[in-house]
């Protein structure tokens, strides 16, 4: 039976030291497990979308099992859609994974011009996400709330295809909507800070799949995302929130020079898809913790040896990063991943991830 | 009407699609018909060639999804006018394909772009949409006798539906070719699922479909 070396820090001590830029004993592990954790506990993988208590409990226990660093988030999925009056589909199929947009909040240009920021506090998944944060606070996890990215959130409000078309045909309208998304995300942040009064305990989350260069160009990113993302992050930082978790999802190599201009945190935690090499990530974000980035499909369908080898490569690259590194999958952990493959990531940390 | 005039109009139609000009594309299609130019020729020399150029621009990272979507709007504006005027005996149908995003997955931009490229290339596409129940692929292939079934998935969970569809399809008719695509897939995974073909992008999908069709033509 494999026995790991004795840790010199608890998961909490290690994570806190990492964010304080202090030395740590080994590379931390983040299982990225909002959908994976419920499966470990025998729940539906979608439990977190309807029951924050069970969802959070599953994450805590999964972290216990894999020595995961104490950070959890409710991704919110398509939450802006319902806040602005659209409809989402809560997944039920065994092949589904996330909440998806069923009907956008606006269909026409005229309606988009008239769209206003509603009172967010009781709408859509906000109460569920707030309950999730109450549990984070209660159990000593950093409090997270869902933030950007601008274009990902806008895609959930008007639909990604329409957003793409309007970026070229009606740029002034898209700029107006991006500003509305800024106001929305800032009001979410204000609600969380007002509720918990401890911005220093908060690490909000940004997931950015729609910004990927599989969809838009870096020029479009620079025009429609960069200025607004900067504004949101600066306002969040001005509230006293020190760290922001940003998942730069998918193929975004061309966007990295722009992401690097955004105030990600002190330090921010910047997570990457497997499409971005960690050496490249390190170059663009020297002052932030970088995280990643085992290809999720390999964790789900690959052999344990393949997961172990990819983990070794990631750890050896990530360990060189001056501001610290967290090993994780390159996006949400696929809920059907064999637990043994996930354990191989943890084993690779024990074999290659020590700083001392 | 001279041949030079016909060529000029078709070139303008081509350029309208490449330049994402939906209005010009519709207007030129009407002019083409009014001047007696064969609709089938306008489609193959104008529209198919235009989307081939658009695919090239996408591959070279000069165009992205927003541009592809606007080119597709211009394409369909023209096809809606020209297609009804194509004489049945002249219509060059490359093959038939059943297309859809597998059950559990609502992400259909990639699938929609594959449809655009196939439509432009002269395929008959039976589009089942998104979040398609697995047995629907088998039923639709059976109903249409399509040559190929193309499955799309964006998520690691939904890609797990693919080997099941492939198994169901092959059990009914081993000669039906199945191709797959979507962000989490690779050719290696596609092959392990028993797929006959894999396309990394919407642009690659047409070439892959043509490749899969060839052995059937030889038979």
């Amino acid at each position: 039976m494999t026995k790991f070396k004795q840790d010199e820090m608890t998961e909490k001590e290690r994570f806190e030291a990492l964010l304080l830029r202090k030395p740590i004993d080994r590379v931390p592990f983040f299982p990225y497990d909002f959908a994976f954790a419920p499966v470990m506990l025998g729940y539906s993988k979608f439990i977190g979308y309807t029951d924050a208590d069970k969802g959070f409990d599953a994450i805590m226990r999964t972290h216990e099992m894999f020595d995961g660093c104490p950070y959890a988030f409710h991704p919110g999925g398509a939450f802006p859609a319902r806040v602005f009056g659209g409809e989402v589909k809560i997944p039920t199929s065994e092949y589904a994974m996330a909440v998806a947009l069923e009907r956008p909040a606006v269909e026409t240009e005229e309606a988009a011009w008239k769209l206003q920021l509603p009172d967010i506090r009781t709408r859509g998944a906000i109460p569920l996400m707030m309950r999730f944060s109450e549990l984070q606070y209660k159990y000593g996890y950093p409090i997270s709330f869902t933030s950007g990215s601008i274009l990902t959130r806008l895609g959930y409000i008007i639909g990604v295809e329409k957003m793409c078309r309007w970026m070229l045909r009606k740029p002034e309208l898209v700029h107006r909507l991006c500003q509305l998304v800024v106001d929305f995300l800032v009001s979410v942040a204000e609600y969380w800070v007002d509720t918990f009064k401890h911005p220093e305990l908060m690490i909000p989350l940004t997931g950015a799949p729609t910004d990927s260069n599989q969809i838009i160009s870096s020029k479009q990113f620079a025009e429609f995302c960069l200025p607004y993302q900067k504004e949101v992050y600066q306002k969040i930082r001005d509230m006293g929130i020190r760290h922001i978790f940003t998942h730069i999802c998918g193929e975004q190599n061309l966007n990295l020079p722009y992401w690097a201009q955004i105030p990600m945190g002190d330090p921010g935690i910047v997570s990457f898809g497997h499409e971005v090499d960690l050496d490249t990530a390190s170059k663009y974000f020297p002052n932030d913790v970088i995280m990643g980035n085992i290809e999720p499909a390999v964790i789900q369908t690959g052999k344990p040896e393949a997961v172990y080898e990819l983990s070794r490569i990631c750890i050896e690259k990530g360990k060189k990063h001056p501001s610290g590194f967290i090993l994780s999958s390159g996006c949400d952990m696929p809920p059907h991943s064999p637990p043994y493959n996930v354990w191989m990531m943890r084993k690779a940390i024990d074999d290659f991830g020590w700083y001392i | 009407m001279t041949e030079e005039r016909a060529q000029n109009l078709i070139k303008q139609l081509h350029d309208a699609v490449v330049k994402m000009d939906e209005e010009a594309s519709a207007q030129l299609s009407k002019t083409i018909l009014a001047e007696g130019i064969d609709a089938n020729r306008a489609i193959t020399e104008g529209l198919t060639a235009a989307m081939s150029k658009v695919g090239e621009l996408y591959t070279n990272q000069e165009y992205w999804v927003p541009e592809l979507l606007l080119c597709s709007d211009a394409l369909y504006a023209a096809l809606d006018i020209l297609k009804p005027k194509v004489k049945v005996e002249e219509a060059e149908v490359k093959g038939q394909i059943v297309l859809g995003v597998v059950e559990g997955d609502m992400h259909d931009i990639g699938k929609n772009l594959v449809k655009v490229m196939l439509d432009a290339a002269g395929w008959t596409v039976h589009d089942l949409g998104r979040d398609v129940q697995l047995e629907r692929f088998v039923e639709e292939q059976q109903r249409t006798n399509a040559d190929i079934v193309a499955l799309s998935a964006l998520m690691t969970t939904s890609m797990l539906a693919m080997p099941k569809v492939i198994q169901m399809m092959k059990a009914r008719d081993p000669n039906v070719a199945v191709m797959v695509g979507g962000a989490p897939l690779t050719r290696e995974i596609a092959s392990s699922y028993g797929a006959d073909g894999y396309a990394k992008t919407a642009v690659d999908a047409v070439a892959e479909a043509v490749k899969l069709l060839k052995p059937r033509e030889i038979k």
Side-chain angles (χ1 to χ4, degrees), chain A residues 74-76 79 125-134 144 146 192:
Chain A
H74 194 296
F79 86 109
I126 297 273
L128 185 80
M129 292 156 69
M130 181 54 81
R131 173 64 189 151
F132 194 86
S133 285
E134 286 165 6
S144 68
T146 306
W192 254 255

Side-chain angles (χ1 to χ4, degrees), chain A residues 89 93 95-97 100-102 160-161 164-165 168-169 213-217 220 254 297 300 334-336, chain B residues 20 58 64-67 69-70 73 103-104 106 109 112 130-131 134 155-158 160-161 164 184 193:
Chain A
K89 184 174 181 180
S93 163
Y95 304 111
M97 184 160 170
L101 181 64
E102 183 91 315
V160 175
E161 285 198 20
C164 285
R165 285 185 165 94
L168 297 180
R169 286 279 183 259
N213 302 130
Q214 285 138 324
I215 299 179
I216 62 167
S217 67
Q220 288 157 348
L254 298 173
Q300 177 176 264
H336 303 290
Chain B
M20 302 169 264
Y58 177 75
W64 308 81
V65 169
E67 288 83 0
L69 288 169
L70 294 189
D73 292 344
E103 184 186 324
M106 303 282 276
I109 293 182
N112 292 342
R130 60 187 188 172
D131 192 15
L134 307 191
M155 298 185 300
T156 45
T157 45
S158 55
L160 294 175
K164 296 203 177 171
Y193 284 176

Side-chain angles (χ1 to χ4, degrees), chain A residues 9 14 17-18 21-25:
Chain A
M9 306 172 97
R14 185 179 303 110
L18 185 71
R21 303 182 188 279
K22 290 182 175 169
I24 55 175
D25 55 351

